[in-house]
Structure formats: structure tokens, C-alpha cells
């Protein structure tokens, strides 16, 4: 029986998620916060070992087996999958395991050729593909990853849609008919993308939805399945027309497509009004109004100012304490739409103030997200806020936005960024003393004398570049957040995108644009033979020395930290020095081992890795408490 093993795995994953981000209510002070995190990650390490053992001994052998599955095994796997991924609160850290198991059921269904079984598994595979397509669509620097899952989902959908043939559909069981009709409307959402969609993609989505509407309007299908909830089918199909607008960021919609979308958005609002109590259970009204106002603005029915005013009113009335998807949407998308409707170069003082307030509001909302909340859904909506962030002089900078976002979503990653910044500043300072010639070219310097004159500027640049080095993790934190099992191959590919993501986020902004190369190169080896991204040659960057410093600091903190590492106890500084020597000239800059031998360098690094780390966790606690007190 695998059920008990599956149940224990779910229980441990739930506990791991809770332990990784303790609430302030669980601690009394800053020291208690760091102690709690340290103790929690020790527990996570133990739970992780148990889960890895379960995967190795139960799940992976089951996935790799070609033997036919019994009805009992099929039931256990399905039940486990449903617990791993709730369709309302999809979380990536569970989804990858579900994907393996649903793939196993798919192979079993194809071998047995049982129609109901096969249809159910095809439907599950569409949902799984959708989950990973949306999660990877945040990676706008490498759209091929999301495209892979989109094409996979569309392929499964096409297989299912064949059952809509009028010679086949009547003979299906009620469950099979329901699965086919669900996919007939749902698969259209595979055209969406958190990074935005092109006019061509919009057109494909519209055509797919028109096909779903044809099904609804065809009396043949109603006659074959009169007990089906056709009102729900219509409502959701209309909703997916509205969803197209969710992925249009300052972009254009072709007039022919807008002419189809606009009446459908209005029709959904009219349908909702026929039975508000009934349809409110499907979609809260403010969420519908955001799409309605957007389409009215796009069609010229209301002016830009009236559009913004209506959004302001919705935004003021939002529920700031709710974290279901609909309220996530209203809290984040409503404010983002206000910003996107303005001219970033010519904003009025009122608009600048509203923009600044929205960024603080959305950070506060993220800070207060319940432990174990719907992180993946929040990131889907939050990522465009980062992509389209507008930096206004005298207001919140992108550096502040990124750091506070890390603190809100994952305090250990925030502390890691602070630690890497402190360690990089230390290494930079000492390296400037002993080898200033290494910095020629940084910040436009042309000689050692210029480097020495701009010493403090060099140190400040290094510190702030290091602060921002991991901003690319923000769109993919639900993959970074995985504890308790090894990363799947495709998940590691996602993690490898964070340097490029970070560089793309940093480049557009005055406060962070000059740090882009450091973010892009901090996982490249010194000699450029390994690491990622493979197509970036750090030797051609004017800040090559800073990249090498941050790369060492990044590895040093990761190696010596016990918090945030569920797999091993942190190493000592001496352990890391051995690693540094072994990688000298290949992974690490050849001058680093010698620098580490200097007594004053070892003294400073030892302090930063011990008391200094404690201070950083205290500061994280104080930041979290400050936000909590402001909210109260």
C-alpha cells in the first residue's frame, strides 16, 4: 500500500512550507527570529531526507515501472495527485511530483486503451501542462521553456477534442463527456502568458474561444448531455475572453479581435447580474469590472481619465486581507492597470503619488500573505509589477522594490542578498588596497590613480550590485522555494534563468541599470568555461572584477549558511578556503586565495559570517515587524 507513504509525504511537505517562513507571532524578538529559522531548517533537513527517501523508494520506482497498475494503485495515485496540487492553489513545489505520477497514469491508460481512463488522464495532462506553462511564462528571457509546455498542453488537448466528433461524443460516459467539455473551454488559456502576449497569440486565443462558443450554441451537444451545467460552461468561456485582457500590457489588440472580445466581456457582466449570488461564487464582481472598464477604454467608450477614475474607486474598495485568486487579482492588477494607463514620461504629481502608493501597497500585501499562501498565483500577478516598474525620482527605487520583495516572499533569500553585499564590500575594500590595478576600467577608470581617487565609489558600486545580484529569483521564487526533494531537470533549467532575468529587470532603471552585468555573470566561472548563462563572456565586461568578487561572495555565503539550506550543515570559512584554492583560476579568480590568507581579511570575513549574519537576520525581523505594525 502506497497510500500511507503518500499521506506522510503530503504532511511533511506542508510542515516544510510552514517551517521555511515562520510568522512573527511565533517569536518574541530578533534573536528569537534567527534562532527559530535555524531550528526550523534543521527540522526541514530531517523532513527533507525522509521525503527524498520516499521519492527514491516509492515514487520513482513506480514512475519507472512498465507494469500495469491495479485499480487500487490508480486510485492512490490520483488521490495523491489531487492533494499535491489543488486546482485553486497550485504550487510548483508539489506540481513536479504530480507531473511524474500523472505521466505514469497516462502511459498506463494508453496501454490499456480504456476510453474513460484515457480521457481522464488526457484531461489531467492538459491541467499539468497549463500549470507549468503559466509558471514558466514568467521567464520572459527564455520563452522557449513556456512554449514547450504550451505545445505539450495543446497536443493533449487536440487528442481530447477529437472526442467532440458527433459520431463519438454521444457514446461517451457522463464523466468522459464532462472531461472533454472542460478541456474544450479550458485549453484556450494555454495561450496566456504572465510575460504578456502578442497580437498573433491573441488572435489564436480568440479563435479557440470561438470554437468553444460554437459548442455551447450547438443544440446537438445539449441534447447529448442535458444534465451538464451549460450555464457554467458559458460563464467560464466568457471569462476566458476577459482573461485575454489580463496579459495585454500597454500592447495593441487588433481591431477584428477587439470586436469579438468586447461584446463577450460585456456579456459576462450581464450574465453575472442575472444572479449575483450564484455567479459571485465563480468570480467576484470587482474582478469582472476591471476587465469591463479595460475593454470600454480600449473601444473608446470611456476616456483615459474616466478609466483611471473607475480603477481608483475599485482599488480603494479592495479587500486588503483576502488572498484567494480573485482578490489577489483585484489587489494587484487593478493598481497595475492604473499605472499602465498613464504615460510614464509625463505623469502628473497625483499620478506619481498614486504610483508610489501602489508599490508600497503591493509590498505590504505581499508581506502579509499568510504562511503557506498561494505563492505561485501571487507571483503570476506580481511579476508584471516588476517587469513594468516605473522609477520616479524621489520615490521608491527599483533597488528598494526588489529588496523588499525578497524580504516579503522569502526572508532567507533577502538575508542572503544582504550577506553577499556585505561580503562583497569587504572583499572589494581589501582588494583595492592590495591590487587596485584589477579595477582599471570599472566605472570608466583608466589608471590606478583614478581607481584610488574613486575608491569609495568602487566599494559602493560593488555593495549595491551585490544587493541586486539575485533579483532574477523573484519571478521564479516558487521554484527557488523547493525544499524536501531534489530539483527535476526542468526545474534546474528554470533556476539557471535567474541571472538573465535579473539583468533584464535591472537594466531599465537608473538606480540599478549599471548592475546588470553583475547579476548576469555571478554564476559564470572566472575562466568562462562553465556556469550560466553560457553565452555571456564575463571577460568582455568592464566590471569583470566586480563580477568575480560577487561570485566568490555568493558561493561563500551559500556554503557557510545553515539557514536556507535543508540538505547540509553550513561549512566553515576554512572549508570554503579549500574550495577556493581548488577552483583558483578556473571557477574562482586566481588572486582570491592569496587575498583570503591576509589576516585582516580573514578577521573581517569571520565576523561577517558569524555576528554579521546574526545582525542581518535581526534586521530582517525588524523589517518584517515594521511592515506588520504599519498594517495594524
Amino acid at each position: 500500500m502506497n497510500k500511507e507513504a503518500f499521506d506522510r509525504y503530503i504532511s511533511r511537505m506542508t510542515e516544510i512550507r510552514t517551517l521555511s517562513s515562520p510568522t512573527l507571532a511565533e517569536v518574541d524578538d530578533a534573536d528569537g527570529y534567527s534562532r527559530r529559522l535555524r531550528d526550523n531548517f534543521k527540522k526541514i533537513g530531517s523532513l527533507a531526507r525522509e521525503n527524498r527517501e520516499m521519492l527514491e523508494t516509492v515514487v520513482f520506482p513506480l514512475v519507472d515501472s512498465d507494469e500495469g497498475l491495479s485499480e487500487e494503485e490508480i486510485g492512490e495515485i490520483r488521490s495523491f495527485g489531487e492533494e499535491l496540487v489543488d486546482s485553486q492553489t497550485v504550487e510548483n513545489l508539489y506540481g513536479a511530483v504530480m507531473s511524474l505520477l500523472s505521466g505514469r497514469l497516462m502511459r498506463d491508460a494508453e496501454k490499456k486503451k480504456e476510453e474513460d481512463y484515457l480521457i481522464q488522464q488526457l484531461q489531467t495532462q492538459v491541467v499539468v501542462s497549463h500549470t507549468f506553462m503559466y509558471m514558466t511564462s514568467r521567464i520572459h528571457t527564455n520563452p522557449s521553456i513556456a512554449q514547450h509546455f504550451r505545445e505539450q498542453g495543446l497536443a493533449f488537448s487536440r487528442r481530447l477534442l477529437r472526442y467532440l466528433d458527433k459520431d463519438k461524443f454521444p457514446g461517451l460516459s457522463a464523466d468522459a463527456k464532462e472531461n472533454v467539455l472542460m478541456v474544450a473551454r479550458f485549453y484556450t488559456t494555454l495561450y496566456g502568458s504572465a510575460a504578456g502576449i502578442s497580437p498573433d497569440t491573441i488572435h489564436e486565443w480568440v479563435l479557440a474561444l470561438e470554437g468553444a462558443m460554437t459548442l455551447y450554441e450547438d443544440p446537438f451537444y445539449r441534447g447529448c448531455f442535458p444534465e451538464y451545467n451549460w450555464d457554467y460552461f458559458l460563464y467560464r468561456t466568457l471569462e476566458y475572453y476577459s482573461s485575454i485582457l489580463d496579459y495585454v500590457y500597454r500592447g495593441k489588440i487588433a481591431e477584428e479581435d477587439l470586436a469579438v472580445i468586447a461584446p463577450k466581456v460585456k456579456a459576462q457582466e450581464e450574465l453575472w447580474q442575472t444572479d449575483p449570488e450564484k455567479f459571485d461564487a465563480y468570480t467576484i464582481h470587482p474582478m469582472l469590472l476591471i476587465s469591463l472598464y479595460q475593454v470600454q477604454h480600449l473601444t473608446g467608450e470611456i476616456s483615459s481619465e474616466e478609466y483611471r477614475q473607475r480603477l481608483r474607486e475599485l482599488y480603494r474598495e479592495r479587500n486588503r486581507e483576502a488572498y484567494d485568486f480573485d482578490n489577489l487579482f483585484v489587489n494587484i492588477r487593478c493598481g497595475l492597470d492604473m499605472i499602465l494607463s498613464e504615460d510614464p514620461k509625463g505623469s502628473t504629481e497625483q499620478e506619481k503619488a498614486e504610483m508610489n502608493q501602489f508599490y508600497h501597497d503591493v509590498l505590504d500585501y505581499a508581506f502579509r500573505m499568510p504562511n503557506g499562501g498561494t505563492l505561485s498565483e501571487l507571483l503570476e500577478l506580481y511579476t508584471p509589477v516588476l517587469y513594468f516598474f516605473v522609477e520616479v525620482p524621489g520615490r521608491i527605487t527599483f533597488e528598494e522594490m526588489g529588496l523588499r520583495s525578497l524580504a516579503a516572499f522569502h526572508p532567507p533569500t533577502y538575508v542572503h542578498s544582504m550577506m553577499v553585499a556585505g561580503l562583497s564590500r569587504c572583499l572589494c575594500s581589501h582588494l583595492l588596497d592590495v591590487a587596485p590595478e584589477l579595477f582599471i576600467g570599472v566605472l570608466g577608470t583608466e589608471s590606478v590613480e583614478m581607481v584610488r581617487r574613486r575608491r569609495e565609489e568602487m566599494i559602493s558600486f560593488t555593495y549595491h550590485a551585490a544587493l541586486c545580484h539575485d533579483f532574477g529569483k523573484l519571478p521564479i521564487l516558487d521554484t527557488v522555494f523547493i525544499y524536501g526533494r531534489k530539483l527535476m531537470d526542468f526545474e534546474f533549467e528554470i533556476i539557471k534563468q535567474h541571472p538573465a532575468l535579473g539583468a533584464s529587470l535591472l537594466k531599465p532603471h537608473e538606480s540599478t541599470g549599471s548592475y546588470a552585468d553583475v547579476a548576469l555573470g555571478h554564476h559564470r566561472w572566472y575562466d568562462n568555461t562553465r556556469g550560466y548563462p553560457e553565452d555571456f563572456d564575463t571577460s568582455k565586461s568592464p566590471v569583470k572584477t566586480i563580477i568575480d568578487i560577487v561570485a566568490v561572495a555568493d558561493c561563500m555565503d551559500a556554503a557557510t549558511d545553515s539557514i536556507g539550506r535543508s540538505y547540509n550543515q553550513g561549512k566553515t570559512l576554512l572549508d570554503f578556503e579549500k574550495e577556493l584554492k581548488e577552483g583558483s583560476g578556473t571557477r574562482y579568480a586566481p588572486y582570491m586565495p592569496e587575498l583570503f590568507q591576509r589576516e585582516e581579511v580573514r578577521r573581517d570575513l569571520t565576523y561577517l559570517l558569524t555576528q554579521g549574519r546574526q545582525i542581518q537576520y535581526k534586521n530582517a525581523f525588524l523589517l518584517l515587524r515594521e511592515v506588520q505594525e504599519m498594517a495594524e
Side-chain angles (χ1 to χ4, degrees):
M1 289 286 290
N2 294 321
K3 187 178 187 307
E4 291 184 7
F6 291 160
D7 289 346
R8 287 195 297 270
Y9 183 89
I10 293 289
S11 177
R12 286 191 294 265
M13 288 301 290
T14 302
E15 187 176 359
I16 285 170
R17 181 63 186 271
T18 302
L19 288 170
S20 63
S21 293
T23 63
L24 298 190
E26 300 175 45
V27 295
D28 298 322
D29 53 28
D31 287 332
Y33 180 71
S34 61
R35 285 196 302 272
R36 173 57 65 94
L37 275 173
R38 188 177 298 105
D39 292 343
N40 283 5
F41 272 88
K42 287 180 181 177
K43 293 177 185 176
I44 287 173
S46 176
L47 294 167
R49 284 189 290 275
E50 293 180 60
N51 272 359
R52 285 197 291 272
E53 182 180 354
M54 181 271 193
L55 293 173
E56 293 289 344
T57 59
V58 178
V59 172
F60 295 153
L62 182 62
V63 168
D64 293 337
S65 171
D66 287 328
E67 294 183 11
L69 297 172
S70 68
E71 290 299 318
E72 183 180 37
E73 288 174 320
I74 292 169
E76 288 176 354
I77 293 172
R78 281 180 176 164
S79 177
F80 184 40
E82 289 169 1
E83 290 191 69
L84 281 170
V85 178
D86 182 328
S87 62
Q88 299 301 311
T89 57
V90 174
E91 294 296 344
N92 175 39
L93 67 164
Y94 308 135
V97 177
M98 180 206 176
S99 177
L100 291 176
L101 292 170
S102 64
R104 176 67 176 93
L105 290 176
M106 184 70 208
R107 295 200 309 274
D108 190 57
E110 288 181 315
K111 183 179 293 186
K112 291 177 178 175
K113 301 185 185 307
E114 295 174 6
E115 194 167 59
D116 278 20
Y117 184 17
L118 180 60
I119 287 173
Q120 181 168 359
Q121 289 315 124
L122 284 168
Q123 186 258 9
T124 300
Q125 290 294 80
V126 173
V127 173
V128 169
S129 299
H130 174 274
T131 297
F132 290 116
M133 192 280 294
Y134 269 85
M135 182 263 291
T136 55
S137 74
R138 302 182 220 129
I139 308 171
H140 70 288
T141 52
N142 189 352
S144 66
I145 300 176
Q147 184 63 25
H148 163 75
F149 290 109
R150 175 180 287 117
E151 290 173 356
Q152 177 179 280
L154 290 173
F156 286 124
S157 299
R158 284 191 289 270
R159 290 182 61 182
L160 260 180
L161 295 179
R162 292 171 189 162
Y163 288 97
L164 289 170
D165 186 285
K166 291 185 177 181
D167 291 332
K168 295 180 180 178
F169 190 77
L172 299 179
S173 69
D175 285 345
K177 287 175 182 173
E178 189 156 346
N179 282 327
V180 172
L181 288 172
M182 178 271 185
V183 169
R185 58 173 173 78
F186 177 78
Y187 92 94
T188 63
T189 61
L190 286 164
Y191 292 105
S193 171
I197 52 178
S198 68
D200 287 344
T201 304
I202 291 172
H203 187 64
E204 290 182 77
W205 195 342
V206 168
L207 290 177
L209 284 169
E210 291 292 87
M213 287 299 296
T214 299
L215 286 177
Y216 173 78
E217 294 163 355
D218 191 333
F220 170 83
Y221 294 98
R222 288 173 176 271
C224 290
F225 200 11
E227 65 272 29
Y228 183 61
N229 188 345
W230 287 99
D231 282 350
Y232 183 79
F233 182 95
L234 173 62
Y235 185 85
R236 286 302 188 202
T237 304
L238 293 173
E239 184 175 57
Y240 295 151
Y241 282 97
S242 299
S243 296
I244 295 173
L245 303 176
D246 301 345
Y247 305 105
V248 179
Y249 308 112
R250 290 203 177 109
K252 297 282 187 180
I253 300 179
E255 286 188 17
E256 63 174 310
D257 291 321
L258 185 58
V260 176
I261 295 168
K264 297 300 194 303
V265 173
K266 295 173 183 177
Q268 187 192 12
E269 163 66 7
E270 291 168 2
L271 183 59
W272 191 95
Q273 291 290 354
T274 63
D275 193 343
E277 185 176 352
K278 171 185 174 180
F279 290 112
D280 193 58
Y282 300 159
T283 313
I284 63 173
H285 197 223
M287 188 174 176
L288 296 188
L289 291 177
I290 291 172
S291 297
L292 178 64
Y293 297 158
Q294 187 178 3
V295 83
Q296 288 174 333
H297 179 234
L298 289 170
T299 57
E301 294 177 53
I302 59 175
S303 67
S304 295
E305 182 50 44
E306 187 175 356
Y307 174 49
R308 283 192 289 273
Q309 185 56 37
R310 291 185 182 187
L311 289 176
R312 288 186 190 110
E313 291 170 4
L314 279 181
Y315 189 67
R316 281 196 295 267
E317 296 170 3
R318 72 194 186 280
N319 184 343
R320 307 177 190 202
E321 309 297 325
Y323 287 85
D324 59 277
F325 182 78
D326 286 9
N327 279 291
L328 284 171
F329 188 92
V330 175
N331 271 275
I332 299 175
R333 181 67 198 213
C334 188
L336 178 61
D337 280 358
M338 282 193 294
I339 292 170
L340 293 176
S341 69
E342 298 166 358
D343 180 359
K345 296 180 180 179
S347 298
T348 66
E349 287 302 315
Q350 177 185 351
E351 289 168 347
K352 291 175 184 176
E354 287 176 343
M355 192 180 301
N356 191 59
Q357 186 60 52
F358 168 65
Y359 293 137
H360 284 285
D361 287 346
V362 79
L363 280 168
D364 174 67
Y365 188 66
F367 268 110
R368 291 184 290 104
M369 182 178 70
N371 195 327
T374 54
L375 177 63
S376 294
E377 291 184 335
L378 180 56
L379 287 174
E380 181 184 331
L381 293 161
Y382 195 93
T383 297
V385 175
L386 299 174
Y387 286 164
F388 294 96
F389 183 87
V390 178
E391 194 167 69
V392 178
R395 313 283 181 170
I396 185 171
T397 66
F398 188 69
E399 181 178 314
E400 293 172 294
M401 187 73 183
L403 282 173
R404 284 182 168 255
S405 297
L406 285 174
F409 289 123
H410 197 221
T413 301
Y414 167 77
V415 172
H416 168 69
S417 297
M418 300 300 294
M419 283 294 299
V420 172
L423 293 167
S424 296
R425 178 170 57 191
C426 173
L427 293 174
C428 179
S429 176
H430 287 293
L431 193 59
L432 280 164
D433 290 339
V434 300
E437 67 277 4
L438 292 171
F439 293 84
I440 295 174
V442 176
L443 303 182
T445 53
E446 298 176 351
S447 65
V448 168
E449 291 72 20
M450 288 183 68
V451 169
R452 286 176 175 150
R453 284 200 303 270
R454 300 180 68 180
R455 172 188 170 84
E456 293 307 315
E457 191 178 347
M458 294 278 184
I459 294 171
S460 176
F461 178 91
T462 302
Y463 176 78
H464 286 279
L467 281 177
C468 302
H469 82 284
D470 262 350
F471 278 15
K473 287 183 178 177
L474 282 165
I476 57 170
L477 269 175
D478 47 350
T479 303
V480 175
F481 222 139
I482 292 173
Y483 302 114
R485 63 171 174 81
K486 294 178 181 178
L487 292 172
M488 306 297 179
D489 288 345
F490 86 91
E491 290 170 324
F492 184 56
E493 285 302 313
I494 292 170
I495 293 291
K496 286 166 63 176
Q497 300 302 314
H498 83 268
L501 277 171
S504 71
L505 286 170
L506 296 172
K507 276 181 182 178
H509 306 296
E510 186 175 346
S511 71
T512 57
S514 58
Y515 310 142
D517 271 11
V518 178
L520 187 61
H522 76 276
H523 276 287
R524 286 295 282 163
W525 283 28
Y526 169 80
D527 64 359
N528 283 294
T529 58
R530 296 181 65 180
Y532 50 88
E534 294 180 4
D535 59 354
F536 181 53
D537 184 349
T538 60
S539 68
K540 296 179 181 178
S541 172
V543 293
K544 164 69 171 170
T545 299
I546 311 300
I547 294 172
D548 295 334
I549 289 171
V550 174
V552 169
D554 182 48
C555 291
M556 179 167 34
D557 181 64
T560 58
D561 186 19
S562 296
I563 299 176
R565 292 166 58 92
S566 63
Y567 37 92
N568 284 315
Q569 184 68 20
K571 297 178 180 179
T572 65
L573 178 58
L574 184 60
D575 291 331
F576 180 71
E577 286 180 22
K578 293 177 182 176
E579 180 183 318
L580 196 63
K581 289 177 183 177
E582 291 171 0
S584 176
T586 53
R587 182 170 188 175
Y588 302 112
Y591 48 79
M592 279 296 178
E594 184 178 347
L595 184 69
F596 272 62
Q597 294 308 303
R598 299 178 70 86
E599 182 180 347
E600 63 273 24
V601 176
R602 295 175 59 82
R603 178 197 63 220
D604 288 347
L605 292 177
T606 298
Y607 169 78
L608 290 172
L609 294 171
T610 52
Q611 294 101 310
R613 183 174 278 136
Q614 285 295 105
I615 291 171
Q616 294 298 350
Y617 274 98
K618 288 181 182 179
N619 290 340
F621 169 83
L622 293 173
L623 175 59
L624 293 168
R625 188 175 68 178
E626 174 193 338
V627 173
Q628 183 185 64
E629 289 174 349
M630 288 175 64
E632 294 171 352

